[in-house]
Each structure stands twice: as structure tokens, then as C-alpha cells.
Amino acid sequence: MTLLQQGTRDRLRIRRFASRAALGAAAAQDVAAFLRQRLSEQHVVRMVFAAAPSQNEFLAALVAAADIDWSRIHAFHMDEYIGLEADAPQRFSHFLRQKLFDVVQPGEVHLIPSCGDPTAICADYAAKLNAASIDAVCLGIGENGHLAFNDPPVADFSDPFTVKVVQLDNACRQQQVNDGCFATFEAVPTHAVTLTIPALMSGARLFCMVPGASKRAAVRATLEDAISTACPATCLRQHADCTLYTDSDACPEVTFD
């Protein structure tokens, strides 16, 4: 794992690697170490995962990690489109089942339905999340700086909700096409269910994996812009225990204070 640079911006730890593979391996190593330690201290660990191509290398390395008792891990995910068929391959629950859940078989997996009454879905999922504290969140950053589906127009650092329905920003919908998830912009759903910014920030430990040239502007804004919902990911600089894993494509260089 070729680590090119590390440091901090405000509270955020930054680790920059030479490649996506190195980034994914290092992040998985850190998450696995966290899980082993946490499981030695408590019976159950509750985690939230992101579903996106940016997580591929990390998830592949994590499922290969040894000595993790996944039967004592309760897993959640952070967002889901509204209106897709139950078997639609673009569903985030499908992605995470294929890449992680069906492989390691956590003790509990809580999936967000894409069909049904969105208000009831939000209330039910919020109740599950709020039943106990969240130990860790594994997330990414969108091209427009979003966290989960908290795009700039709907992000709220003081959101009163844990889970809510949002209308997707056009830049967010276009990213789904850029990522190869949908063939056309029109095919991307317009609305989704998402964990809010406070819900994500409530995790005791945050691991944020952001590789690739398409994320360069978002990483720059996350590290350099004022902390505001104009780039929702800037709030990561305020979390007490968050690490950003990035690569030379997404982040050519960081100038530390």
C-alpha cells in the first residue's frame, strides 16, 4: 500500500494513496482493525455502509479480512431510490448484498425498501437506526459534495430527521449515469430515501473512501471550502473521528496547514 501523504484538515484525518487499490486495502485494514477492537469490547457492532462504485476496492478487501465475527455485526445502508422494482440491479440494497452482505452474512441486515409509502419507510428505518448508537459509518463523497443523498439543495447540518425523502439534484442524477448505473439521465429516479447528515455524523467512527478523477473537485471543496451545505462533505472536518482515504487521481496533492 503506497501511502503518498497524510495529515489533517481541521479534525479530519487525510490519507492519500497512489491508487484505488492501495486506498481500498488500507481502508479495509483500518475498518477490520476497528471491528476486531470494538467486538472485543461489546457484543454487537452497528454499522452503516455506502453503495457506490467508489467503494468497490474497499469492500473487496474488507470481505477478505480475517478474524471478524460478522454474526455480531448489525448492518444498515445509507440511501435507496424510490420507485425501482424489487429486483432492479441499480438498487443500493442489491449492490451491498452482492458485494458484502451475502458474502460475509452479518447477524442482522436492515435494507431500505424502494417500494411502499416513503413516509412510513423513513419512520421505520429511523426507529431501527435510533434503537442504539451507530459505531461506524463507511461512506463516500458525491461529485457534488453530497453525503448519502444529501445534495447541496437539501442538506441540513441540523436536520431534525434521521431519515427523509429527498429530490435528487441534477448533478447527483448525472453522476449515476457517469458511474454506469443507468443508461440515461431520464432513467435515474428523481427521489430517494436517505439518512440525514446528523444521522451519518452520529457514527462514533467514520471511514470515507473517495477515489478517482471524477471526485477531484469534490475532494478539493471538502478540504478547502468553508464548512457549509454548499459542499455537504465539508462537515466531515468537524467530526471527532473521521478519516478520508483518497488517491492521486482524486487528490493530486494536499497542502496542510
mmCIF file with all atom_site columns, all heavy atoms in Angstrom, residues 20 23 54-55 139-142 208-212 214-216 218-219 222 236 244-251:
data_model
loop_
_atom_site.group_PDB
_atom_site.id
_atom_site.type_symbol
_atom_site.label_atom_id
_atom_site.label_alt_id
_atom_site.label_comp_id
_atom_site.label_asym_id
_atom_site.label_entity_id
_atom_site.label_seq_id
_atom_site.pdbx_PDB_ins_code
_atom_site.Cartn_x
_atom_site.Cartn_y
_atom_site.Cartn_z
_atom_site.occupancy
_atom_site.B_iso_or_equiv
_atom_site.pdbx_formal_charge
_atom_site.auth_seq_id
_atom_site.auth_comp_id
_atom_site.auth_asym_id
_atom_site.auth_atom_id
_atom_site.pdbx_PDB_model_num
ATOM 1   N N   . ARG A 1 20  ? -6.328  3.423  -6.430  1.00 0.00 ? 20  ARG A N   1
ATOM 2   C CA  . ARG A 1 20  ? -7.587  2.967  -5.842  1.00 0.00 ? 20  ARG A CA  1
ATOM 3   C C   . ARG A 1 20  ? -7.381  1.687  -5.043  1.00 0.00 ? 20  ARG A C   1
ATOM 4   O O   . ARG A 1 20  ? -7.955  1.514  -3.962  1.00 0.00 ? 20  ARG A O   1
ATOM 5   C CB  . ARG A 1 20  ? -8.617  2.705  -6.938  1.00 0.00 ? 20  ARG A CB  1
ATOM 6   C CG  . ARG A 1 20  ? -9.086  3.912  -7.714  1.00 0.00 ? 20  ARG A CG  1
ATOM 7   C CD  . ARG A 1 20  ? -10.056 3.505  -8.823  1.00 0.00 ? 20  ARG A CD  1
ATOM 8   N NE  . ARG A 1 20  ? -11.313 3.032  -8.274  1.00 0.00 ? 20  ARG A NE  1
ATOM 9   C CZ  . ARG A 1 20  ? -12.463 3.680  -8.369  1.00 0.00 ? 20  ARG A CZ  1
ATOM 10  N NH1 . ARG A 1 20  ? -12.523 4.832  -9.027  1.00 0.00 ? 20  ARG A NH1 1
ATOM 11  N NH2 . ARG A 1 20  ? -13.562 3.195  -7.840  1.00 0.00 ? 20  ARG A NH2 1
ATOM 12  N N   . LEU A 1 23  ? -5.721  2.466  -1.746  1.00 0.00 ? 23  LEU A N   1
ATOM 13  C CA  . LEU A 1 23  ? -6.714  3.131  -0.904  1.00 0.00 ? 23  LEU A CA  1
ATOM 14  C C   . LEU A 1 23  ? -7.664  2.106  -0.288  1.00 0.00 ? 23  LEU A C   1
ATOM 15  O O   . LEU A 1 23  ? -7.903  2.096  0.920   1.00 0.00 ? 23  LEU A O   1
ATOM 16  C CB  . LEU A 1 23  ? -7.479  4.148  -1.744  1.00 0.00 ? 23  LEU A CB  1
ATOM 17  C CG  . LEU A 1 23  ? -8.619  4.988  -1.167  1.00 0.00 ? 23  LEU A CG  1
ATOM 18  C CD1 . LEU A 1 23  ? -8.900  6.156  -2.090  1.00 0.00 ? 23  LEU A CD1 1
ATOM 19  C CD2 . LEU A 1 23  ? -9.917  4.173  -0.993  1.00 0.00 ? 23  LEU A CD2 1
ATOM 20  N N   . SER A 1 54  ? -17.304 3.709  -6.013  1.00 0.00 ? 54  SER A N   1
ATOM 21  C CA  . SER A 1 54  ? -16.139 4.189  -5.271  1.00 0.00 ? 54  SER A CA  1
ATOM 22  C C   . SER A 1 54  ? -15.775 3.287  -4.104  1.00 0.00 ? 54  SER A C   1
ATOM 23  O O   . SER A 1 54  ? -14.649 3.338  -3.590  1.00 0.00 ? 54  SER A O   1
ATOM 24  C CB  . SER A 1 54  ? -16.404 5.604  -4.731  1.00 0.00 ? 54  SER A CB  1
ATOM 25  O OG  . SER A 1 54  ? -17.470 5.591  -3.795  1.00 0.00 ? 54  SER A OG  1
ATOM 26  N N   . GLN A 1 55  ? -16.709 2.436  -3.701  1.00 0.00 ? 55  GLN A N   1
ATOM 27  C CA  . GLN A 1 55  ? -16.474 1.540  -2.563  1.00 0.00 ? 55  GLN A CA  1
ATOM 28  C C   . GLN A 1 55  ? -15.985 0.159  -2.982  1.00 0.00 ? 55  GLN A C   1
ATOM 29  O O   . GLN A 1 55  ? -15.704 -0.687 -2.121  1.00 0.00 ? 55  GLN A O   1
ATOM 30  C CB  . GLN A 1 55  ? -17.769 1.392  -1.760  1.00 0.00 ? 55  GLN A CB  1
ATOM 31  C CG  . GLN A 1 55  ? -18.396 2.704  -1.337  1.00 0.00 ? 55  GLN A CG  1
ATOM 32  C CD  . GLN A 1 55  ? -17.520 3.517  -0.417  1.00 0.00 ? 55  GLN A CD  1
ATOM 33  O OE1 . GLN A 1 55  ? -17.194 3.087  0.684   1.00 0.00 ? 55  GLN A OE1 1
ATOM 34  N NE2 . GLN A 1 55  ? -17.125 4.699  -0.868  1.00 0.00 ? 55  GLN A NE2 1
ATOM 35  N N   . LEU A 1 139 ? -18.457 5.501  4.208   1.00 0.00 ? 139 LEU A N   1
ATOM 36  C CA  . LEU A 1 139 ? -19.145 6.358  3.255   1.00 0.00 ? 139 LEU A CA  1
ATOM 37  C C   . LEU A 1 139 ? -18.208 6.862  2.177   1.00 0.00 ? 139 LEU A C   1
ATOM 38  O O   . LEU A 1 139 ? -17.001 6.607  2.202   1.00 0.00 ? 139 LEU A O   1
ATOM 39  C CB  . LEU A 1 139 ? -19.794 7.545  3.979   1.00 0.00 ? 139 LEU A CB  1
ATOM 40  C CG  . LEU A 1 139 ? -18.902 8.626  4.588   1.00 0.00 ? 139 LEU A CG  1
ATOM 41  C CD1 . LEU A 1 139 ? -19.709 9.912  4.820   1.00 0.00 ? 139 LEU A CD1 1
ATOM 42  C CD2 . LEU A 1 139 ? -18.301 8.177  5.919   1.00 0.00 ? 139 LEU A CD2 1
ATOM 43  N N   . GLY A 1 140 ? -18.789 7.570  1.198   1.00 0.00 ? 140 GLY A N   1
ATOM 44  C CA  . GLY A 1 140 ? -18.040 8.236  0.155   1.00 0.00 ? 140 GLY A CA  1
ATOM 45  C C   . GLY A 1 140 ? -18.513 9.670  0.042   1.00 0.00 ? 140 GLY A C   1
ATOM 46  O O   . GLY A 1 140 ? -19.298 10.142 0.872   1.00 0.00 ? 140 GLY A O   1
ATOM 47  N N   . ILE A 1 141 ? -18.041 10.352 -0.986  1.00 0.00 ? 141 ILE A N   1
ATOM 48  C CA  . ILE A 1 141 ? -18.449 11.727 -1.265  1.00 0.00 ? 141 ILE A CA  1
ATOM 49  C C   . ILE A 1 141 ? -18.877 11.792 -2.724  1.00 0.00 ? 141 ILE A C   1
ATOM 50  O O   . ILE A 1 141 ? -18.164 11.293 -3.601  1.00 0.00 ? 141 ILE A O   1
ATOM 51  C CB  . ILE A 1 141 ? -17.308 12.724 -1.005  1.00 0.00 ? 141 ILE A CB  1
ATOM 52  C CG1 . ILE A 1 141 ? -16.902 12.716 0.474   1.00 0.00 ? 141 ILE A CG1 1
ATOM 53  C CG2 . ILE A 1 141 ? -17.717 14.134 -1.441  1.00 0.00 ? 141 ILE A CG2 1
ATOM 54  C CD1 . ILE A 1 141 ? -15.659 13.555 0.760   1.00 0.00 ? 141 ILE A CD1 1
ATOM 55  N N   . GLY A 1 142 ? -20.025 12.395 -2.991  1.00 0.00 ? 142 GLY A N   1
ATOM 56  C CA  . GLY A 1 142 ? -20.507 12.508 -4.355  1.00 0.00 ? 142 GLY A CA  1
ATOM 57  C C   . GLY A 1 142 ? -19.777 13.590 -5.134  1.00 0.00 ? 142 GLY A C   1
ATOM 58  O O   . GLY A 1 142 ? -19.067 14.436 -4.575  1.00 0.00 ? 142 GLY A O   1
ATOM 59  N N   . CYS A 1 208 ? -14.147 7.325  5.225   1.00 0.00 ? 208 CYS A N   1
ATOM 60  C CA  . CYS A 1 208 ? -14.651 7.926  3.990   1.00 0.00 ? 208 CYS A CA  1
ATOM 61  C C   . CYS A 1 208 ? -13.695 7.619  2.842   1.00 0.00 ? 208 CYS A C   1
ATOM 62  O O   . CYS A 1 208 ? -12.555 8.099  2.820   1.00 0.00 ? 208 CYS A O   1
ATOM 63  C CB  . CYS A 1 208 ? -14.801 9.432  4.185   1.00 0.00 ? 208 CYS A CB  1
ATOM 64  S SG  . CYS A 1 208 ? -15.548 10.284 2.782   1.00 0.00 ? 208 CYS A SG  1
ATOM 65  N N   . MET A 1 209 ? -14.158 6.821  1.866   1.00 0.00 ? 209 MET A N   1
ATOM 66  C CA  . MET A 1 209 ? -13.326 6.371  0.750   1.00 0.00 ? 209 MET A CA  1
ATOM 67  C C   . MET A 1 209 ? -13.712 7.115  -0.528  1.00 0.00 ? 209 MET A C   1
ATOM 68  O O   . MET A 1 209 ? -14.847 7.007  -1.000  1.00 0.00 ? 209 MET A O   1
ATOM 69  C CB  . MET A 1 209 ? -13.496 4.865  0.549   1.00 0.00 ? 209 MET A CB  1
ATOM 70  C CG  . MET A 1 209 ? -12.782 4.022  1.603   1.00 0.00 ? 209 MET A CG  1
ATOM 71  S SD  . MET A 1 209 ? -13.382 4.213  3.292   1.00 0.00 ? 209 MET A SD  1
ATOM 72  C CE  . MET A 1 209 ? -14.893 3.260  3.252   1.00 0.00 ? 209 MET A CE  1
ATOM 73  N N   . VAL A 1 210 ? -12.754 7.873  -1.101  1.00 0.00 ? 210 VAL A N   1
ATOM 74  C CA  . VAL A 1 210 ? -13.066 8.730  -2.248  1.00 0.00 ? 210 VAL A CA  1
ATOM 75  C C   . VAL A 1 210 ? -11.940 8.653  -3.283  1.00 0.00 ? 210 VAL A C   1
ATOM 76  O O   . VAL A 1 210 ? -11.012 9.466  -3.272  1.00 0.00 ? 210 VAL A O   1
ATOM 77  C CB  . VAL A 1 210 ? -13.283 10.195 -1.821  1.00 0.00 ? 210 VAL A CB  1
ATOM 78  C CG1 . VAL A 1 210 ? -13.848 11.000 -2.992  1.00 0.00 ? 210 VAL A CG1 1
ATOM 79  C CG2 . VAL A 1 210 ? -14.210 10.287 -0.617  1.00 0.00 ? 210 VAL A CG2 1
ATOM 80  N N   . PRO A 1 211 ? -12.007 7.689  -4.204  1.00 0.00 ? 211 PRO A N   1
ATOM 81  C CA  . PRO A 1 211 ? -11.014 7.596  -5.271  1.00 0.00 ? 211 PRO A CA  1
ATOM 82  C C   . PRO A 1 211 ? -11.531 8.167  -6.596  1.00 0.00 ? 211 PRO A C   1
ATOM 83  O O   . PRO A 1 211 ? -12.741 8.366  -6.774  1.00 0.00 ? 211 PRO A O   1
ATOM 84  C CB  . PRO A 1 211 ? -10.828 6.082  -5.403  1.00 0.00 ? 211 PRO A CB  1
ATOM 85  C CG  . PRO A 1 211 ? -12.210 5.542  -5.153  1.00 0.00 ? 211 PRO A CG  1
ATOM 86  C CD  . PRO A 1 211 ? -12.830 6.463  -4.122  1.00 0.00 ? 211 PRO A CD  1
ATOM 87  N N   . GLY A 1 212 ? -10.603 8.419  -7.523  1.00 0.00 ? 212 GLY A N   1
ATOM 88  C CA  . GLY A 1 212 ? -10.980 8.698  -8.904  1.00 0.00 ? 212 GLY A CA  1
ATOM 89  C C   . GLY A 1 212 ? -11.011 10.162 -9.281  1.00 0.00 ? 212 GLY A C   1
ATOM 90  O O   . GLY A 1 212 ? -11.385 11.029 -8.493  1.00 0.00 ? 212 GLY A O   1
ATOM 91  N N   . SER A 1 214 ? -12.981 11.783 -11.171 1.00 0.00 ? 214 SER A N   1
ATOM 92  C CA  . SER A 1 214 ? -14.297 12.425 -11.191 1.00 0.00 ? 214 SER A CA  1
ATOM 93  C C   . SER A 1 214 ? -14.645 13.072 -9.849  1.00 0.00 ? 214 SER A C   1
ATOM 94  O O   . SER A 1 214 ? -15.553 13.898 -9.771  1.00 0.00 ? 214 SER A O   1
ATOM 95  C CB  . SER A 1 214 ? -15.379 11.413 -11.566 1.00 0.00 ? 214 SER A CB  1
ATOM 96  O OG  . SER A 1 214 ? -15.523 10.425 -10.559 1.00 0.00 ? 214 SER A OG  1
ATOM 97  N N   . LYS A 1 215 ? -13.923 12.706 -8.789  1.00 0.00 ? 215 LYS A N   1
ATOM 98  C CA  . LYS A 1 215 ? -14.186 13.258 -7.458  1.00 0.00 ? 215 LYS A CA  1
ATOM 99  C C   . LYS A 1 215 ? -13.213 14.378 -7.087  1.00 0.00 ? 215 LYS A C   1
ATOM 100 O O   . LYS A 1 215 ? -13.237 14.873 -5.955  1.00 0.00 ? 215 LYS A O   1
ATOM 101 C CB  . LYS A 1 215 ? -14.101 12.144 -6.405  1.00 0.00 ? 215 LYS A CB  1
ATOM 102 C CG  . LYS A 1 215 ? -15.073 10.987 -6.609  1.00 0.00 ? 215 LYS A CG  1
ATOM 103 C CD  . LYS A 1 215 ? -16.512 11.440 -6.499  1.00 0.00 ? 215 LYS A CD  1
ATOM 104 C CE  . LYS A 1 215 ? -17.501 10.292 -6.699  1.00 0.00 ? 215 LYS A CE  1
ATOM 105 N NZ  . LYS A 1 215 ? -17.458 9.315  -5.615  1.00 0.00 ? 215 LYS A NZ  1
ATOM 106 N N   . ARG A 1 216 ? -12.372 14.792 -8.040  1.00 0.00 ? 216 ARG A N   1
ATOM 107 C CA  . ARG A 1 216 ? -11.325 15.763 -7.703  1.00 0.00 ? 216 ARG A CA  1
ATOM 108 C C   . ARG A 1 216 ? -11.902 17.081 -7.192  1.00 0.00 ? 216 ARG A C   1
ATOM 109 O O   . ARG A 1 216 ? -11.453 17.624 -6.183  1.00 0.00 ? 216 ARG A O   1
ATOM 110 C CB  . ARG A 1 216 ? -10.428 16.007 -8.915  1.00 0.00 ? 216 ARG A CB  1
ATOM 111 C CG  . ARG A 1 216 ? -9.225  16.874 -8.610  1.00 0.00 ? 216 ARG A CG  1
ATOM 112 C CD  . ARG A 1 216 ? -8.263  16.941 -9.779  1.00 0.00 ? 216 ARG A CD  1
ATOM 113 N NE  . ARG A 1 216 ? -7.677  15.635 -10.062 1.00 0.00 ? 216 ARG A NE  1
ATOM 114 C CZ  . ARG A 1 216 ? -6.747  15.422 -10.993 1.00 0.00 ? 216 ARG A CZ  1
ATOM 115 N NH1 . ARG A 1 216 ? -6.351  16.435 -11.760 1.00 0.00 ? 216 ARG A NH1 1
ATOM 116 N NH2 . ARG A 1 216 ? -6.241  14.215 -11.186 1.00 0.00 ? 216 ARG A NH2 1
ATOM 117 N N   . ALA A 1 218 ? -14.795 17.619 -5.838  1.00 0.00 ? 218 ALA A N   1
ATOM 118 C CA  . ALA A 1 218 ? -15.467 17.401 -4.563  1.00 0.00 ? 218 ALA A CA  1
ATOM 119 C C   . ALA A 1 218 ? -14.469 17.291 -3.422  1.00 0.00 ? 218 ALA A C   1
ATOM 120 O O   . ALA A 1 218 ? -14.705 17.824 -2.323  1.00 0.00 ? 218 ALA A O   1
ATOM 121 C CB  . ALA A 1 218 ? -16.335 16.147 -4.634  1.00 0.00 ? 218 ALA A CB  1
ATOM 122 N N   . VAL A 1 219 ? -13.367 16.595 -3.649  1.00 0.00 ? 219 VAL A N   1
ATOM 123 C CA  . VAL A 1 219 ? -12.349 16.479 -2.602  1.00 0.00 ? 219 VAL A CA  1
ATOM 124 C C   . VAL A 1 219 ? -11.738 17.845 -2.310  1.00 0.00 ? 219 VAL A C   1
ATOM 125 O O   . VAL A 1 219 ? -11.538 18.221 -1.150  1.00 0.00 ? 219 VAL A O   1
ATOM 126 C CB  . VAL A 1 219 ? -11.265 15.459 -3.002  1.00 0.00 ? 219 VAL A CB  1
ATOM 127 C CG1 . VAL A 1 219 ? -10.089 15.498 -2.028  1.00 0.00 ? 219 VAL A CG1 1
ATOM 128 C CG2 . VAL A 1 219 ? -11.852 14.051 -3.048  1.00 0.00 ? 219 VAL A CG2 1
ATOM 129 N N   . THR A 1 222 ? -14.205 19.798 -0.305  1.00 0.00 ? 222 THR A N   1
ATOM 130 C CA  . THR A 1 222 ? -14.313 19.233 1.042   1.00 0.00 ? 222 THR A CA  1
ATOM 131 C C   . THR A 1 222 ? -13.188 19.739 1.936   1.00 0.00 ? 222 THR A C   1
ATOM 132 O O   . THR A 1 222 ? -13.404 20.059 3.115   1.00 0.00 ? 222 THR A O   1
ATOM 133 C CB  . THR A 1 222 ? -14.288 17.699 0.984   1.00 0.00 ? 222 THR A CB  1
ATOM 134 O OG1 . THR A 1 222 ? -15.419 17.232 0.244   1.00 0.00 ? 222 THR A OG1 1
ATOM 135 C CG2 . THR A 1 222 ? -14.308 17.083 2.369   1.00 0.00 ? 222 THR A CG2 1
ATOM 136 N N   . LEU A 1 236 ? -17.467 16.894 7.408   1.00 0.00 ? 236 LEU A N   1
ATOM 137 C CA  . LEU A 1 236 ? -16.583 15.839 7.903   1.00 0.00 ? 236 LEU A CA  1
ATOM 138 C C   . LEU A 1 236 ? -15.398 16.419 8.663   1.00 0.00 ? 236 LEU A C   1
ATOM 139 O O   . LEU A 1 236 ? -14.823 15.744 9.528   1.00 0.00 ? 236 LEU A O   1
ATOM 140 C CB  . LEU A 1 236 ? -16.083 14.977 6.739   1.00 0.00 ? 236 LEU A CB  1
ATOM 141 C CG  . LEU A 1 236 ? -17.153 14.216 5.945   1.00 0.00 ? 236 LEU A CG  1
ATOM 142 C CD1 . LEU A 1 236 ? -16.508 13.479 4.780   1.00 0.00 ? 236 LEU A CD1 1
ATOM 143 C CD2 . LEU A 1 236 ? -17.924 13.257 6.835   1.00 0.00 ? 236 LEU A CD2 1
ATOM 144 N N   . LEU A 1 244 ? -10.387 10.414 5.879   1.00 0.00 ? 244 LEU A N   1
ATOM 145 C CA  . LEU A 1 244 ? -10.616 10.450 4.441   1.00 0.00 ? 244 LEU A CA  1
ATOM 146 C C   . LEU A 1 244 ? -9.502  9.678  3.756   1.00 0.00 ? 244 LEU A C   1
ATOM 147 O O   . LEU A 1 244 ? -8.325  10.001 3.922   1.00 0.00 ? 244 LEU A O   1
ATOM 148 C CB  . LEU A 1 244 ? -10.640 11.887 3.943   1.00 0.00 ? 244 LEU A CB  1
ATOM 149 C CG  . LEU A 1 244 ? -10.637 12.089 2.424   1.00 0.00 ? 244 LEU A CG  1
ATOM 150 C CD1 . LEU A 1 244 ? -11.927 11.565 1.797   1.00 0.00 ? 244 LEU A CD1 1
ATOM 151 C CD2 . LEU A 1 244 ? -10.439 13.566 2.069   1.00 0.00 ? 244 LEU A CD2 1
ATOM 152 N N   . TYR A 1 245 ? -9.880  8.648  2.997   1.00 0.00 ? 245 TYR A N   1
ATOM 153 C CA  . TYR A 1 245 ? -8.943  7.866  2.188   1.00 0.00 ? 245 TYR A CA  1
ATOM 154 C C   . TYR A 1 245 ? -9.138  8.298  0.737   1.00 0.00 ? 245 TYR A C   1
ATOM 155 O O   . TYR A 1 245 ? -10.225 8.134  0.180   1.00 0.00 ? 245 TYR A O   1
ATOM 156 C CB  . TYR A 1 245 ? -9.215  6.369  2.334   1.00 0.00 ? 245 TYR A CB  1
ATOM 157 C CG  . TYR A 1 245 ? -9.148  5.851  3.747   1.00 0.00 ? 245 TYR A CG  1
ATOM 158 C CD1 . TYR A 1 245 ? -10.247 5.975  4.609   1.00 0.00 ? 245 TYR A CD1 1
ATOM 159 C CD2 . TYR A 1 245 ? -8.003  5.249  4.237   1.00 0.00 ? 245 TYR A CD2 1
ATOM 160 C CE1 . TYR A 1 245 ? -10.202 5.519  5.911   1.00 0.00 ? 245 TYR A CE1 1
ATOM 161 C CE2 . TYR A 1 245 ? -7.943  4.772  5.544   1.00 0.00 ? 245 TYR A CE2 1
ATOM 162 C CZ  . TYR A 1 245 ? -9.041  4.909  6.377   1.00 0.00 ? 245 TYR A CZ  1
ATOM 163 O OH  . TYR A 1 245 ? -8.984  4.447  7.675   1.00 0.00 ? 245 TYR A OH  1
ATOM 164 N N   . THR A 1 246 ? -8.109  8.843  0.122   1.00 0.00 ? 246 THR A N   1
ATOM 165 C CA  . THR A 1 246 ? -8.232  9.296  -1.250  1.00 0.00 ? 246 THR A CA  1
ATOM 166 C C   . THR A 1 246 ? -7.005  8.864  -2.042  1.00 0.00 ? 246 THR A C   1
ATOM 167 O O   . THR A 1 246 ? -6.087  8.245  -1.489  1.00 0.00 ? 246 THR A O   1
ATOM 168 C CB  . THR A 1 246 ? -8.459  10.823 -1.294  1.00 0.00 ? 246 THR A CB  1
ATOM 169 O OG1 . THR A 1 246 ? -8.772  11.215 -2.621  1.00 0.00 ? 246 THR A OG1 1
ATOM 170 C CG2 . THR A 1 246 ? -7.257  11.586 -0.778  1.00 0.00 ? 246 THR A CG2 1
ATOM 171 N N   . ASP A 1 247 ? -6.990  9.142  -3.340  1.00 0.00 ? 247 ASP A N   1
ATOM 172 C CA  . ASP A 1 247 ? -5.868  8.711  -4.164  1.00 0.00 ? 247 ASP A CA  1
ATOM 173 C C   . ASP A 1 247 ? -5.353  9.872  -5.007  1.00 0.00 ? 247 ASP A C   1
ATOM 174 O O   . ASP A 1 247 ? -5.890  10.976 -4.972  1.00 0.00 ? 247 ASP A O   1
ATOM 175 C CB  . ASP A 1 247 ? -6.248  7.504  -5.026  1.00 0.00 ? 247 ASP A CB  1
ATOM 176 C CG  . ASP A 1 247 ? -7.322  7.790  -6.062  1.00 0.00 ? 247 ASP A CG  1
ATOM 177 O OD1 . ASP A 1 247 ? -7.775  8.955  -6.151  1.00 0.00 ? 247 ASP A OD1 1
ATOM 178 O OD2 . ASP A 1 247 ? -7.704  6.862  -6.793  1.00 0.00 ? 247 ASP A OD2 1
ATOM 179 N N   . SER A 1 248 ? -4.310  9.600  -5.769  1.00 0.00 ? 248 SER A N   1
ATOM 180 C CA  . SER A 1 248 ? -3.660  10.661 -6.532  1.00 0.00 ? 248 SER A CA  1
ATOM 181 C C   . SER A 1 248 ? -4.537  11.183 -7.655  1.00 0.00 ? 248 SER A C   1
ATOM 182 O O   . SER A 1 248 ? -4.343  12.308 -8.124  1.00 0.00 ? 248 SER A O   1
ATOM 183 C CB  . SER A 1 248 ? -2.326  10.167 -7.095  1.00 0.00 ? 248 SER A CB  1
ATOM 184 O OG  . SER A 1 248 ? -2.514  9.002  -7.888  1.00 0.00 ? 248 SER A OG  1
ATOM 185 N N   . ASP A 1 249 ? -5.508  10.407 -8.114  1.00 0.00 ? 249 ASP A N   1
ATOM 186 C CA  . ASP A 1 249 ? -6.434  10.885 -9.139  1.00 0.00 ? 249 ASP A CA  1
ATOM 187 C C   . ASP A 1 249 ? -7.449  11.856 -8.552  1.00 0.00 ? 249 ASP A C   1
ATOM 188 O O   . ASP A 1 249 ? -7.768  12.882 -9.144  1.00 0.00 ? 249 ASP A O   1
ATOM 189 C CB  . ASP A 1 249 ? -7.158  9.710  -9.803  1.00 0.00 ? 249 ASP A CB  1
ATOM 190 C CG  . ASP A 1 249 ? -6.257  8.903  -10.719 1.00 0.00 ? 249 ASP A CG  1
ATOM 191 O OD1 . ASP A 1 249 ? -5.280  9.470  -11.239 1.00 0.00 ? 249 ASP A OD1 1
ATOM 192 O OD2 . ASP A 1 249 ? -6.529  7.709  -10.909 1.00 0.00 ? 249 ASP A OD2 1
ATOM 193 N N   . ALA A 1 250 ? -7.989  11.507 -7.394  1.00 0.00 ? 250 ALA A N   1
ATOM 194 C CA  . ALA A 1 250 ? -8.997  12.357 -6.767  1.00 0.00 ? 250 ALA A CA  1
ATOM 195 C C   . ALA A 1 250 ? -8.368  13.562 -6.067  1.00 0.00 ? 250 ALA A C   1
ATOM 196 O O   . ALA A 1 250 ? -9.018  14.602 -5.929  1.00 0.00 ? 250 ALA A O   1
ATOM 197 C CB  . ALA A 1 250 ? -9.815  11.559 -5.753  1.00 0.00 ? 250 ALA A CB  1
ATOM 198 N N   . CYS A 1 251 ? -7.135  13.411 -5.666  1.00 0.00 ? 251 CYS A N   1
ATOM 199 C CA  . CYS A 1 251 ? -6.477  14.456 -4.871  1.00 0.00 ? 251 CYS A CA  1
ATOM 200 C C   . CYS A 1 251 ? -4.993  14.506 -5.240  1.00 0.00 ? 251 CYS A C   1
ATOM 201 O O   . CYS A 1 251 ? -4.188  13.784 -4.649  1.00 0.00 ? 251 CYS A O   1
ATOM 202 C CB  . CYS A 1 251 ? -6.659  14.146 -3.389  1.00 0.00 ? 251 CYS A CB  1
ATOM 203 S SG  . CYS A 1 251 ? -6.047  15.403 -2.277  1.00 0.00 ? 251 CYS A SG  1
#
